[in-house]
Amino acid sequence: MTTATPEAALLTRIAEALERLAPHTADQTDWLAHPAYVWTGSSARGVERLDAPALTLLRGIESQKERVVTNVERLAAGYAAHDMLLWGSRGMGKSALLRAAIRAADAAHPRRIALVQVAQEALSGVSALFAALGKVDRSFLVFIDDLGFEEGDGSGPRVLRSWLEGGVEARPANVRLAVTSNRRAIVGRSMAEQDDPINPRDIVDERLALADRFGLSVGFHNCDQEAYLAIIGGYAGEFELEWEPGDALEWSRRRGARSGRVAWQYVNELAGRAGKTL
Protein backbone atom coordinates (compact mmCIF):
# COMPACT_ATOMS: atom_id res chain seq x y z
CA MET A 1 0.00 0.00 0.00
CA THR A 2 1.36 3.42 -0.97
CA THR A 3 1.66 5.90 1.91
CA ALA A 4 0.70 9.47 1.13
CA THR A 5 3.51 11.99 1.36
CA PRO A 6 3.28 14.76 3.97
CA GLU A 7 2.78 17.29 1.15
CA ALA A 8 -0.12 15.27 -0.30
CA ALA A 9 -1.71 14.87 3.11
CA LEU A 10 -1.43 18.61 3.72
CA LEU A 11 -3.07 19.41 0.36
CA THR A 12 -5.90 17.00 1.17
CA ARG A 13 -6.55 18.70 4.50
CA ILE A 14 -6.53 22.14 2.85
CA ALA A 15 -9.00 20.98 0.19
CA GLU A 16 -11.33 19.51 2.82
CA ALA A 17 -11.18 22.71 4.86
CA LEU A 18 -12.01 24.85 1.82
CA GLU A 19 -14.94 22.59 0.98
CA ARG A 20 -16.34 23.03 4.46
CA LEU A 21 -15.98 26.81 4.20
CA ALA A 22 -17.57 27.06 0.75
CA PRO A 23 -21.17 28.38 0.80
CA HIS A 24 -23.96 25.95 0.04
CA THR A 25 -25.49 26.43 -3.38
CA ALA A 26 -29.22 26.60 -3.92
CA ASP A 27 -29.29 22.97 -5.01
CA GLN A 28 -27.62 21.91 -1.73
CA THR A 29 -30.16 23.70 0.44
CA ASP A 30 -32.75 21.60 2.25
CA TRP A 31 -35.84 23.44 1.04
CA LEU A 32 -38.16 21.34 3.22
CA ALA A 33 -36.50 21.97 6.57
CA HIS A 34 -37.35 25.56 7.53
CA PRO A 35 -40.30 27.97 7.54
CA ALA A 36 -38.19 30.71 5.98
CA TYR A 37 -34.95 31.31 4.11
CA VAL A 38 -32.70 34.22 3.20
CA TRP A 39 -31.34 34.24 -0.34
CA THR A 40 -27.94 35.92 -0.74
CA GLY A 41 -27.75 35.83 -4.51
CA SER A 42 -25.89 32.53 -4.79
CA SER A 43 -26.93 30.55 -1.73
CA ALA A 44 -29.67 30.28 0.89
CA ARG A 45 -29.64 30.33 4.68
CA GLY A 46 -32.40 28.59 6.57
CA VAL A 47 -34.27 30.49 9.31
CA GLU A 48 -35.27 28.21 12.17
CA ARG A 49 -38.09 30.40 13.48
CA LEU A 50 -40.07 32.96 11.54
CA ASP A 51 -40.43 36.07 13.69
CA ALA A 52 -43.92 37.45 13.13
CA PRO A 53 -46.78 38.89 15.20
CA ALA A 54 -50.00 36.97 15.59
CA LEU A 55 -52.52 37.98 12.95
CA THR A 56 -54.98 39.05 15.64
CA LEU A 57 -52.51 41.71 16.79
CA LEU A 58 -52.38 43.42 13.40
CA ARG A 59 -55.04 46.10 13.79
CA GLY A 60 -56.10 48.94 11.52
CA ILE A 61 -55.45 46.95 8.34
CA GLU A 62 -58.36 44.51 8.44
CA SER A 63 -59.21 44.70 4.73
CA GLN A 64 -55.58 44.33 3.67
CA LYS A 65 -55.07 41.48 6.11
CA GLU A 66 -58.03 39.51 4.76
CA ARG A 67 -56.83 39.74 1.17
CA VAL A 68 -53.21 38.83 1.88
CA VAL A 69 -54.00 35.99 4.28
CA THR A 70 -56.49 34.46 1.84
CA ASN A 71 -53.96 34.57 -0.99
CA VAL A 72 -51.17 33.03 1.09
CA GLU A 73 -53.53 30.32 2.33
CA ARG A 74 -54.34 29.41 -1.28
CA LEU A 75 -50.67 29.18 -2.13
CA ALA A 76 -50.00 26.93 0.87
CA ALA A 77 -52.88 24.66 -0.12
CA GLY A 78 -51.52 24.33 -3.64
CA TYR A 79 -54.31 26.36 -5.28
CA ALA A 80 -53.99 29.19 -7.78
CA ALA A 81 -52.62 32.30 -6.06
CA HIS A 82 -51.54 35.79 -7.05
CA ASP A 83 -48.23 37.61 -7.04
CA MET A 84 -48.63 40.46 -4.57
CA LEU A 85 -47.61 44.10 -4.45
CA LEU A 86 -48.06 45.67 -1.02
CA TRP A 87 -47.55 49.41 -1.34
CA GLY A 88 -48.13 52.59 0.61
CA SER A 89 -47.25 54.33 3.84
CA ARG A 90 -44.17 53.38 5.79
CA GLY A 91 -44.61 51.54 9.05
CA MET A 92 -48.12 50.26 8.38
CA GLY A 93 -47.26 46.57 8.65
CA LYS A 94 -46.68 45.46 5.06
CA SER A 95 -43.76 43.13 5.75
CA ALA A 96 -45.10 42.13 9.19
CA LEU A 97 -48.37 41.06 7.57
CA LEU A 98 -46.57 38.88 5.02
CA ARG A 99 -44.55 37.15 7.73
CA ALA A 100 -47.62 36.66 9.90
CA ALA A 101 -49.61 35.24 6.98
CA ILE A 102 -46.84 32.75 6.17
CA ARG A 103 -46.59 31.67 9.80
CA ALA A 104 -50.35 31.10 9.98
CA ALA A 105 -50.36 29.16 6.70
CA ASP A 106 -47.43 27.03 7.82
CA ALA A 107 -49.30 26.17 11.02
CA ALA A 108 -52.33 25.08 8.98
CA HIS A 109 -50.25 23.27 6.33
CA PRO A 110 -47.00 22.15 8.02
CA ARG A 111 -43.98 22.29 5.71
CA ARG A 112 -46.14 23.09 2.67
CA ILE A 113 -45.10 26.74 2.36
CA ALA A 114 -42.02 28.81 3.12
CA LEU A 115 -40.95 32.44 2.85
CA VAL A 116 -37.76 33.23 0.93
CA GLN A 117 -36.53 36.78 1.51
CA VAL A 118 -34.37 38.30 -1.21
CA ALA A 119 -32.45 41.53 -0.67
CA GLN A 120 -32.49 43.98 -3.55
CA GLU A 121 -28.74 43.55 -4.09
CA ALA A 122 -29.34 39.80 -4.56
CA LEU A 123 -31.92 40.17 -7.34
CA SER A 124 -29.39 39.21 -10.02
CA GLY A 125 -29.31 35.68 -8.60
CA VAL A 126 -33.07 35.12 -8.50
CA SER A 127 -33.06 33.05 -11.70
CA ALA A 128 -30.88 30.45 -9.96
CA LEU A 129 -33.23 30.56 -6.97
CA PHE A 130 -36.25 29.92 -9.20
CA ALA A 131 -34.48 26.99 -10.85
CA ALA A 132 -33.89 25.41 -7.44
CA LEU A 133 -37.35 26.07 -6.02
CA GLY A 134 -39.07 24.67 -9.11
CA LYS A 135 -37.68 21.22 -8.28
CA VAL A 136 -39.14 21.16 -4.75
CA ASP A 137 -42.54 19.75 -3.76
CA ARG A 138 -43.46 22.80 -1.70
CA SER A 139 -44.92 26.26 -2.25
CA PHE A 140 -42.73 29.34 -1.79
CA LEU A 141 -43.41 33.04 -1.40
CA VAL A 142 -40.36 34.95 -2.62
CA PHE A 143 -40.33 38.21 -0.68
CA ILE A 144 -38.59 41.41 -1.84
CA ASP A 145 -38.91 44.12 0.79
CA ASP A 146 -38.90 47.87 0.08
CA LEU A 147 -38.23 47.48 -3.63
CA GLY A 148 -37.30 50.48 -5.71
CA PHE A 149 -35.30 51.16 -8.85
CA GLU A 150 -33.05 54.10 -9.55
CA GLU A 151 -34.10 56.70 -12.11
CA GLY A 152 -33.04 55.52 -15.55
CA ASP A 153 -32.80 51.86 -14.52
CA GLY A 154 -34.72 50.10 -17.25
CA SER A 155 -33.26 46.63 -16.81
CA GLY A 156 -34.62 46.08 -13.29
CA PRO A 157 -38.29 46.66 -14.17
CA ARG A 158 -37.92 44.59 -17.34
CA VAL A 159 -36.51 41.62 -15.40
CA LEU A 160 -39.34 41.88 -12.87
CA ARG A 161 -41.92 41.89 -15.66
CA SER A 162 -40.27 38.79 -17.13
CA TRP A 163 -40.56 36.98 -13.79
CA LEU A 164 -44.22 37.88 -13.52
CA GLU A 165 -45.41 37.28 -17.04
CA GLY A 166 -43.87 34.14 -18.45
CA GLY A 167 -40.49 35.24 -19.74
CA VAL A 168 -37.73 32.70 -20.21
CA GLU A 169 -36.77 33.18 -16.53
CA ALA A 170 -40.30 33.36 -15.11
CA ARG A 171 -40.94 32.07 -11.63
CA PRO A 172 -42.08 28.41 -11.51
CA ALA A 173 -45.65 27.35 -10.79
CA ASN A 174 -45.02 26.67 -7.09
CA VAL A 175 -43.55 30.15 -6.50
CA ARG A 176 -45.24 33.52 -6.12
CA LEU A 177 -43.66 36.93 -5.64
CA ALA A 178 -44.49 39.35 -2.83
CA VAL A 179 -43.04 42.84 -3.14
CA THR A 180 -43.38 45.76 -0.74
CA SER A 181 -42.82 49.32 -1.87
CA ASN A 182 -43.62 52.81 -0.68
CA ARG A 183 -45.06 53.64 -4.10
CA ARG A 184 -47.54 51.74 -6.21
CA ALA A 185 -45.39 52.46 -9.28
CA ILE A 186 -42.43 50.88 -7.39
CA VAL A 187 -40.00 53.49 -8.75
CA GLY A 188 -40.14 57.21 -8.06
CA ARG A 189 -41.55 59.84 -10.37
CA SER A 190 -39.39 62.86 -11.17
CA MET A 191 -40.55 66.25 -12.31
CA ALA A 192 -38.61 65.71 -15.54
CA GLU A 193 -41.11 63.03 -16.50
CA GLN A 194 -43.94 65.54 -16.30
CA ASP A 195 -41.97 68.06 -18.40
CA ASP A 196 -41.12 65.69 -21.26
CA PRO A 197 -42.49 67.52 -24.33
CA ILE A 198 -42.76 64.35 -26.39
CA ASN A 199 -44.37 61.72 -24.16
CA PRO A 200 -44.99 63.22 -20.71
CA ARG A 201 -46.90 60.15 -19.52
CA ASP A 202 -45.01 57.31 -21.16
CA ILE A 203 -42.53 56.63 -18.37
CA VAL A 204 -45.15 56.94 -15.64
CA ASP A 205 -47.53 54.67 -17.55
CA GLU A 206 -44.78 52.11 -18.07
CA ARG A 207 -44.07 51.99 -14.36
CA LEU A 208 -47.73 51.68 -13.45
CA ALA A 209 -48.00 48.89 -16.04
CA LEU A 210 -45.34 47.04 -14.06
CA ALA A 211 -47.45 47.39 -10.89
CA ASP A 212 -50.50 46.16 -12.79
CA ARG A 213 -48.75 42.86 -13.52
CA PHE A 214 -49.24 41.82 -9.90
CA GLY A 215 -52.52 39.95 -9.54
CA LEU A 216 -53.04 41.41 -6.09
CA SER A 217 -52.15 45.04 -5.37
CA VAL A 218 -52.90 46.14 -1.80
CA GLY A 219 -52.57 49.72 -0.61
CA PHE A 220 -51.63 50.69 2.96
CA HIS A 221 -52.56 54.23 3.90
CA ASN A 222 -51.73 56.66 6.66
CA CYS A 223 -52.96 55.71 10.11
CA ASP A 224 -55.66 57.92 11.62
CA GLN A 225 -55.93 58.53 15.36
CA GLU A 226 -58.63 55.92 15.92
CA ALA A 227 -56.68 53.16 14.15
CA TYR A 228 -53.43 54.16 15.92
CA LEU A 229 -55.05 53.85 19.34
CA ALA A 230 -56.74 50.57 18.35
CA ILE A 231 -53.36 49.10 17.41
CA ILE A 232 -51.91 50.09 20.77
CA GLY A 233 -54.95 48.75 22.59
CA GLY A 234 -54.57 45.37 20.91
CA TYR A 235 -50.93 45.03 21.85
CA ALA A 236 -51.45 46.39 25.36
CA GLY A 237 -54.23 43.88 25.99
CA GLU A 238 -52.13 40.99 24.69
CA PHE A 239 -49.14 41.86 26.88
CA GLU A 240 -51.14 43.10 29.88
CA LEU A 241 -49.77 46.64 29.80
CA GLU A 242 -51.47 49.69 31.25
CA TRP A 243 -51.65 52.76 29.03
CA GLU A 244 -53.37 56.10 28.54
CA PRO A 245 -54.60 57.40 25.17
CA GLY A 246 -53.27 60.87 25.91
CA ASP A 247 -49.80 59.51 26.58
CA ALA A 248 -49.95 57.43 23.41
CA LEU A 249 -50.93 60.47 21.33
CA GLU A 250 -48.15 62.54 22.87
CA TRP A 251 -45.72 59.77 21.89
CA SER A 252 -46.89 59.97 18.26
CA ARG A 253 -46.59 63.77 18.27
CA ARG A 254 -43.00 63.53 19.44
CA ARG A 255 -42.34 60.98 16.71
CA GLY A 256 -44.00 63.15 14.10
CA ALA A 257 -46.14 60.30 12.77
CA ARG A 258 -48.89 57.81 13.51
CA SER A 259 -48.34 54.29 12.16
CA GLY A 260 -48.27 50.67 13.21
CA ARG A 261 -44.52 50.96 13.68
CA VAL A 262 -44.84 54.00 15.96
CA ALA A 263 -47.58 52.19 17.90
CA TRP A 264 -45.30 49.18 18.41
CA GLN A 265 -42.47 51.47 19.56
CA TYR A 266 -44.83 52.97 22.12
CA VAL A 267 -45.82 49.48 23.32
CA ASN A 268 -42.14 48.65 23.66
CA GLU A 269 -41.77 51.79 25.77
CA LEU A 270 -44.70 50.69 27.95
CA ALA A 271 -43.12 47.29 28.50
CA GLY A 272 -39.84 48.90 29.45
CA ARG A 273 -41.55 51.16 31.99
CA ALA A 274 -43.32 48.12 33.47
CA GLY A 275 -40.14 46.08 33.63
CA LYS A 276 -41.42 43.51 31.13
CA THR A 277 -40.07 41.91 27.99
CA LEU A 278 -41.98 41.45 24.75
Side-chain angles (χ1 to χ4, degrees):
M1 180 180 294
T2 302
T3 303
T5 64
E7 293 82 2
L10 176 60
L11 289 173
T12 298
R13 290 198 298 272
I14 292 174
E16 291 173 347
L18 289 174
E19 185 176 351
R20 288 194 296 270
L21 290 172
H24 292 293
T25 65
D27 287 333
Q28 294 173 322
T29 302
D30 185 350
W31 291 109
L32 299 174
H34 304 289
Y37 300 82
V38 175
W39 176 249
T40 66
S42 60
S43 63
R45 181 178 72 254
V47 177
E48 293 288 344
R49 181 180 179 276
L50 182 58
D51 185 18
L55 285 169
T56 55
L57 293 180
L58 296 177
R59 306 286 183 90
I61 52 171
E62 280 70 25
S63 174
Q64 296 93 327
K65 180 167 60 175
E66 180 182 2
R67 297 168 70 191
V68 170
V69 169
T70 297
N71 194 55
V72 171
E73 168 66 24
R74 290 174 182 171
L75 180 61
Y79 304 150
H82 296 294
D83 299 293
M84 294 184 287
L85 172 62
L86 277 58
W87 60 275
S89 300
R90 292 181 175 88
M92 283 306 297
K94 296 184 291 293
S95 60
L97 175 55
L98 285 172
R99 296 195 310 271
I102 286 287
R103 194 170 77 168
D106 181 56
H109 307 273
R111 294 297 186 262
R112 297 308 306 159
I113 191 169
L115 186 72
V116 183
Q117 182 159 352
V118 178
Q120 186 154 341
E121 58 270 20
L123 292 179
S124 60
V126 166
S127 296
L129 172 63
F130 286 165
L133 297 182
K135 302 173 185 176
V136 183
D137 183 20
R138 191 182 193 186
S139 296
F140 295 92
L141 188 67
V142 172
F143 171 39
I144 306 170
D145 195 21
D146 197 20
L147 180 63
F149 298 111
E150 297 295 331
E151 298 295 337
D153 179 4
S155 61
R158 282 195 297 273
V159 170
L160 185 53
R161 285 197 298 271
S162 177
W163 294 344
L164 291 167
E165 289 214 331
V168 294
E169 295 181 328
R171 46 119 183 97
N174 63 326
V175 174
R176 290 295 178 269
L177 288 171
V179 170
T180 67
S181 174
N182 293 326
R183 294 182 178 92
R184 179 173 178 261
I186 301 180
V187 278
R189 292 166 53 175
S190 69
M191 290 303 296
E193 294 166 3
Q194 305 303 318
D195 297 335
D196 184 342
I198 302 174
N199 297 311
R201 294 293 306 175
D202 280 357
I203 298 176
V204 175
D205 290 345
E206 175 71 8
R207 292 172 175 181
L208 290 174
L210 171 58
D212 289 341
R213 282 167 167 79
F214 290 87
L216 185 60
S217 179
V218 184
F220 290 71
H221 308 293
N222 287 326
C223 190
D224 61 21
Q225 178 173 306
E226 181 180 357
Y228 169 73
L229 294 176
I231 293 168
I232 292 173
Y235 281 125
E238 175 71 14
F239 299 115
E240 299 181 346
L241 298 170
E242 295 183 3
W243 67 290
E244 294 291 337
D247 186 50
L249 293 173
E250 177 60 27
W251 176 271
S252 69
R253 282 191 288 270
R254 291 200 301 268
R255 299 288 297 177
R258 287 193 300 261
S259 69
R261 180 178 299 141
V262 171
W264 173 251
Q265 290 166 347
Y266 176 69
V267 170
N268 191 69
E269 170 67 14
L270 291 176
R273 293 175 189 172
K276 296 183 176 181
T277 59
L278 297 176

